[in-house]
Amino acid sequence: PPAAAAAAAAADDAKTCAADVLSVGSNPRHSCLHLLPRVRLLHYETAAAARWRRFDYALRIPASELPEGSVFTNPSVLCHGGQLLVAGRLMSEPTVQPPCSDLWHSRAVLTRVMRRNESRRALLAGGVGTCIADLTFSALAPGSPLQHANSAAKQCGRGGRADSVATGVEDPRLVRLRGRLFTTLNTARAPSATRSPPSCAQLASQRQVSLSPLQPLGAASPLRWEASPSPTDRNWLLFEHSNGTYAIFSVEPHTVLLCERGEENGRAEASRGGQGKGAHRRARFTDVGNGLCQLAHRTSSAALRDRFRGFAVHGGANPLLVRTSGGVPLYYVAIFHTKDADLQYANYAYSFAPRPPFEVLSVARS
């Protein structure tokens, strides 16, 4: 059918563009500091007292590169071979399907910072030899569980059988695992062995996080924690430790899942007895068809819990490991966001321990 042919062509174009975006020159830099605004503190300022808003970095995409009526939001940034990669969500204007269904469609795109100027503004894509890769068609590969789940969501929307229906993929977050680049995506929930597909009435509240490879570009695989207390699993934060891959399921309590086990890490966890059944098994979510995660550690921070009581707290940016100049791990730093009853958002940086049980160490004042 023409629609299938168009989707296949779009997926091929995205693979070509993604390969170009991720290409590294013959003399790649390991740092991206040359692409960032210079941080200059006044002689009487301390880092704690600095007005960091002065160092905000505005990202701009030429209007000609964006589909009409779409908005670029929720960017994720990662340094790769001296290039500043940027993934983000392209969100279309919502429409209404009678009798009263809000229809939302989003796509995930990948590009890179092309140039910047001293006014702290950066241009994404645009110009000769640059492109924006649409990751949506590859993530929702034909015949995959996620593609079926997305099609079911579309059917619910066309029939006006849900209050709110979101299709496509949302909120890409770049992450490097085992030396390869991936992005996490929020998608419609695919059925599993223990969970049936959501009904139309449940679509708005049941989403899940999926992982999509970027080198090369490939289909997204759902990540699952079968013992999850929530019908919606999204905004997970992924990080590596001791050759294993972990996911932060929630910030408070700080719930950490083990999703892929390295050999050394597997023996260490087994010697401690692990937590939960199957702690001795090796799980590889980078292989298509897997994606099972299991509880590894859960800790709680009274200060964080009391400070954000009454707020919804969700993950934001994937953690980065901060080391000393000699390479000794100090802590992981990540971002979470809060949402109040009026749907007002605020972002906070926080740190957690560089080794199990990965307890929260500190939270930024603002």
Side-chain angles (χ1 to χ4, degrees), residues 180 182 211 221-222 260 282-292:
R180 295 175 58 199
F182 294 82
L211 189 72
S221 299
E260 182 182 29
R282 178 178 174 83
R284 291 187 56 83
F285 64 70
T286 51
D287 292 338
V288 176
N290 211 310
L292 290 175

Side-chain angles (χ1 to χ4, degrees), residues 141-210:
S144 67
L146 290 178
Q147 192 269 339
H148 289 307
N150 192 62
S151 297
K154 288 182 178 180
Q155 291 178 358
C156 289
R158 294 191 190 102
R161 300 192 299 271
D163 293 335
S164 181
V165 176
T167 59
V169 296
E170 305 166 357
D171 304 336
R173 293 189 177 101
L174 297 169
V175 62
R176 185 178 288 104
L177 303 171
R178 302 293 182 87
R180 295 175 58 199
L181 290 177
F182 294 82
T183 183
T184 56
L185 302 163
N186 288 333
T187 65
R189 177 179 288 282
S192 67
T194 59
R195 290 185 180 180
S196 57
S199 66
C200 289
Q202 296 171 325
L203 279 178
S205 61
Q206 293 203 14
R207 306 284 284 172
Q208 74 179 145
V209 65
S210 298

Side-chain angles (χ1 to χ4, degrees), residues 269-347:
E269 291 285 346
S271 68
R272 289 194 295 269
Q275 294 191 32
K277 293 182 178 180
H280 62 284
R281 293 199 299 268
R282 178 178 174 83
R284 291 187 56 83
F285 64 70
T286 51
D287 292 338
V288 176
N290 211 310
L292 290 175
C293 302
Q294 59 196 23
L295 177 64
H297 306 282
R298 180 186 283 131
T299 56
S300 182
S301 166
L304 194 155
R305 182 177 64 250
D306 294 342
R307 178 178 172 184
F308 296 105
R309 194 181 303 276
F311 291 80
V313 180
H314 300 291
N318 287 318
L320 295 176
L321 180 61
V322 177
R323 303 174 183 268
T324 67
S325 58
V328 178
L330 290 175
Y331 51 82
Y332 286 96
V333 62
I335 304 290
F336 69 85
H337 67 268
T338 63
K339 183 170 63 174
D340 62 18
D342 296 323
L343 302 183
Q344 297 298 308
Y345 285 75
N347 295 290

